[in-house]
Amino acid sequence: PIWARHVVVEGYTDQEDDHYRLGLFLGTLKSLKALDVLAYHTMGVKKYEELGIPYPLDGVKPTSQEKKNAARAKILEGIKDARKNK
């Protein structure tokens, strides 16, 4: 079984069309069991600072619940479309 997880990161993985196309792909996987769509957060920034490592997403804002929910809905739309077009 496959459990797909997608993190919505503003400016990187937040495009509606990409979410739909991800859903189209996921809809072809017969072993897809679940989908998690996660909102990007900045909880790891402090750890990077403590380790003296530059944070790769410095300045990127956390993703809102509304954007996360919209992304999930668009991915599910793609999954449904892929499965009905088989």
Side-chain angles (χ1 to χ4, degrees):
I2 295 173
W3 195 306
R5 301 184 95 192
H6 177 71
V7 181
V8 181
V9 182
E10 193 170 323
Y12 292 89
T13 62
D14 62 343
Q15 297 301 307
E16 189 174 297
D17 185 56
D18 291 339
H19 295 147
Y20 180 75
R21 288 186 291 129
L22 173 60
L24 288 176
F25 168 71
L26 293 174
T28 67
L29 304 175
K30 293 180 182 177
S31 59
L32 182 66
K33 179 180 176 116
L35 170 67
D36 282 341
V37 178
L38 309 168
Y40 166 75
H41 56 74
T42 57
M43 289 191 283
V45 172
K46 184 174 169 78
K47 185 65 152 184
Y48 274 78
E49 289 172 355
E50 290 171 356
L51 293 171
I53 301 171
Y55 188 66
L57 296 174
D58 190 35
V60 175
K61 297 184 292 184
T63 304
S64 69
Q65 288 295 91
E66 293 80 18
K67 284 188 179 185
K68 180 197 81 136
N69 293 340
R72 180 177 172 75
K74 191 51 84 169
I75 294 169
L76 289 173
E77 180 184 334
I79 291 171
K80 290 175 187 172
D81 287 351
R83 291 184 172 170
K84 75 178 177 188
N85 290 328
K86 279 188 172 183

